[in-house]
Amino acid sequence: MDNPTIQNQTTDTNGNAFTQLDRLFSQIPDHVYDWLFSEQAAKNVMALGRKFRLSDSQTIQMSRITGLTILKNLSLAGMAMELKKTLNLNDATTQQLAVDIALTQLLPIRDYLPGAENFIKQLGSSLPATLPPLLKLSPAINYTTASTP
């Protein structure tokens, strides 16, 4: 796990080209995929960028690190370390940013990332009195299984 980089392309035993990112995306449940690319998740990223006065480049990197965590390519602890290293933040800012990411981006999919609640507590913060509702599959979306070329 805890690999903040993704290989570009590889080939399966049948000679089909795919990326590690393709594999990671194919392994997440539909509601997590929907959340990752939702308008609300994008708004959350932008709000966090503004709150922490991140540059556009830093906001993009924060979003990438959050996405890799959601894809389980980074552990929750790995996310915090990668935020600190990549964004060049001090410990207190890193800790608060990690908490805010967990509160806004990870709690809605805590069924998929069950360690999110404990992660918030480990960082010295508390959970909100009312947790956000768990995301469910949207009946308005026609879900299909992702296939590799």
Side-chain angles (χ1 to χ4, degrees):
M1 193 156 49
D2 287 354
N3 180 7
T5 61
I6 300 285
Q7 288 180 333
N8 287 340
Q9 190 169 339
T10 190
T11 307
D12 67 12
T13 55
N14 296 322
N16 297 317
F18 63 95
T19 66
Q20 184 180 359
L21 198 55
D22 291 331
R23 179 177 296 144
L24 292 171
F25 276 115
S26 71
Q27 293 172 352
I28 62 174
D30 289 335
H31 72 288
V32 174
Y33 183 91
D34 290 347
W35 174 245
L36 195 56
F37 293 102
S38 71
E39 183 178 344
Q40 185 59 54
K43 287 179 180 179
N44 291 347
V45 166
M46 298 307 294
L48 289 172
R50 284 189 301 276
K51 177 180 179 179
F52 288 91
R53 296 187 176 124
L54 301 177
S55 67
D56 289 348
S57 175
Q58 286 176 308
T59 301
I60 290 167
Q61 289 303 316
M62 175 194 59
S63 178
R64 180 187 66 81
I65 293 164
T66 303
L68 291 173
T69 304
I70 291 171
L71 291 172
K72 297 186 177 179
N73 202 52
L74 278 174
S75 66
L76 294 170
M79 176 185 76
M81 292 186 318
E82 190 65 21
L83 288 167
K84 179 178 173 57
K85 181 178 91 175
T86 302
L87 304 181
N88 195 27
L89 302 173
N90 64 44
D91 290 340
T93 303
T94 300
Q95 182 174 333
Q96 189 55 55
L97 178 58
V99 166
D100 284 9
I101 289 170
L103 289 170
T104 61
Q105 302 293 80
L106 308 182
L107 281 184
I109 53 172
R110 63 190 175 277
D111 60 325
Y112 177 71
L113 293 169
E117 294 167 85
N118 285 334
F119 178 66
I120 293 166
K121 293 175 186 176
Q122 289 169 355
L123 291 173
S125 193
S126 57
L127 295 170
T130 304
L131 294 178
L134 288 171
L135 298 178
K136 301 292 180 203
L137 293 176
S138 171
I141 297 174
N142 181 15
Y143 293 97
T144 58
T145 304
S147 60
T148 55

